[in-house]
Amino acid sequence: GAVVSQHPSWVICKSGTSVKIECRSLDFQATTMFWYRQFPKQSLMLMATSNEGSKATYEQGVEKDKFLINHASLTLSTLTVTSAHPEDSSFYICSARATGRTEAFFGQGTRLTVV
Amino acid sequence: GENVEQHPSTLSVQEGDSAVIKCTYSDSASNYFPWYKQELGKRPQLIIDIRSNVGEKKDQRIAVTLNKTAKHFSLHITETQPEDSAVYFCAASSGGSYIPTFGRGTSLIVHP
């Protein structure tokens, strides 16, 4: 149990285009999902907390108009990187927490490369 | 907000030795402390967690201890094996939102 699937695993896009990343909880309902960015050999930087049916809460310094988050169902949250630039290239990873639980489980991550 | 410090950043041990990773936290309201293991190129995996009403928890070769007074918690791995080599992250979160704050990670290398 507690499987979180993230898609795609990797994506290459051109500067100026938008990219959508999906995070799905496969065998549980996730009221809350978290989106992180991880730089090589560094920790997990929380970008935003996504709650089903409400607006995401963004961490300080994260542009909400650039990183659009939608959590439209209890099993799916999406992160859209709009007007991507090379500096947005990174490893993006989500985690999901089941309703009423404290444990969070991670997706496999998405390697985004903007050329 | 919460601040989690993790040490050491790198830990190198011989197979069979024990490894200890330590974390401190700043928010006395934190009450849930998970540990994750991340192998190269893979997702972080929850390996053990502890809540503030417990001082120690064991699961085979891994154990976690919590000292609420001092606001620190530690991960102990006994009889280390090469497959234990990975980056380990500690985290702390408090009731209500349970938004985890992560430490910077410890790269554990177990030499055969």
Side-chain angles (χ1 to χ4, degrees):
Chain A
V3 179
V4 178
S5 177
Q6 192 171 334
H7 179 82
S9 297
W10 59 271
V11 58
I12 301 172
C13 72
K14 291 185 177 180
S15 265
T17 62
S18 295
V19 173
K20 181 185 281 189
I21 302 169
E22 294 186 345
C23 181
R24 291 180 185 275
S25 56
L26 299 186
D27 53 359
F28 65 98
Q29 293 186 328
T31 309
T32 304
M33 291 187 178
F34 303 101
W35 286 96
Y36 297 88
R37 187 170 177 177
Q38 188 175 33
F39 294 99
K41 297 185 179 180
Q42 292 194 27
S43 190
L44 298 147
M45 185 193 82
L46 180 65
M47 299 175 65
T49 301
S50 164
N51 293 295
E52 186 269 335
S54 62
K55 289 184 178 181
T57 302
Y58 289 81
E59 295 299 302
Q60 194 171 10
V62 178
E63 299 176 59
K64 60 181 179 182
D65 293 331
K66 181 167 184 62
F67 298 99
L68 299 178
I69 292 171
N70 185 287
H71 193 159
S73 79
L74 284 171
T75 59
L76 173 64
S77 176
T78 60
L79 168 68
T80 301
V81 183
T82 63
S83 186
H85 291 287
E87 55 265 31
D88 297 325
S89 298
S90 191
F91 188 65
Y92 293 87
I93 192 165
C94 70
S95 71
R97 192 174 71 213
T99 306
R101 302 296 297 268
T102 53
E103 308 91 338
F105 299 92
F106 283 87
Q108 63 266 49
T110 297
R111 172 73 57 193
L112 170 64
T113 302
V114 184
V115 297
Chain B
E2 176 66 275
N3 181 50
V4 177
E5 299 284 341
Q6 183 172 348
H7 299 279
S9 56
T10 305
L11 180 58
S12 184
V13 300
Q14 287 296 127
E15 183 176 1
D17 288 351
S18 294
V20 180
I21 302 170
K22 298 181 180 181
C23 289
T24 60
Y25 60 99
S26 61
D27 188 351
S28 57
S30 289
N31 57 6
Y32 175 63
F33 308 91
W35 285 87
Y36 290 86
K37 174 184 179 183
Q38 187 177 27
E39 296 177 65
L40 190 63
K42 296 189 177 180
R43 75 184 79 194
Q45 296 270 15
L46 178 67
I47 56 171
I48 195 168
D49 56 14
I50 191 168
R51 288 169 173 77
S52 59
N53 59 347
V54 175
E56 183 176 3
K57 183 177 179 181
K58 281 185 180 180
D59 183 2
Q60 299 182 352
R61 294 187 297 109
I62 59 173
V64 58
T65 58
L66 171 65
N67 183 326
K68 285 190 296 181
T69 303
K71 294 206 283 276
H72 66 71
F73 56 114
S74 300
L75 178 71
H76 305 252
I77 306 174
T78 58
E79 299 173 30
T80 54
Q81 300 167 4
E83 50 265 39
D84 294 329
S85 298
V87 178
Y88 291 80
F89 293 99
C90 64
S93 62
S94 58
S97 61
Y98 284 110
I99 298 174
T101 299
F102 284 87
R104 297 178 68 85
T106 296
S107 177
L108 173 65
I109 303 165
V110 181
H111 298 282

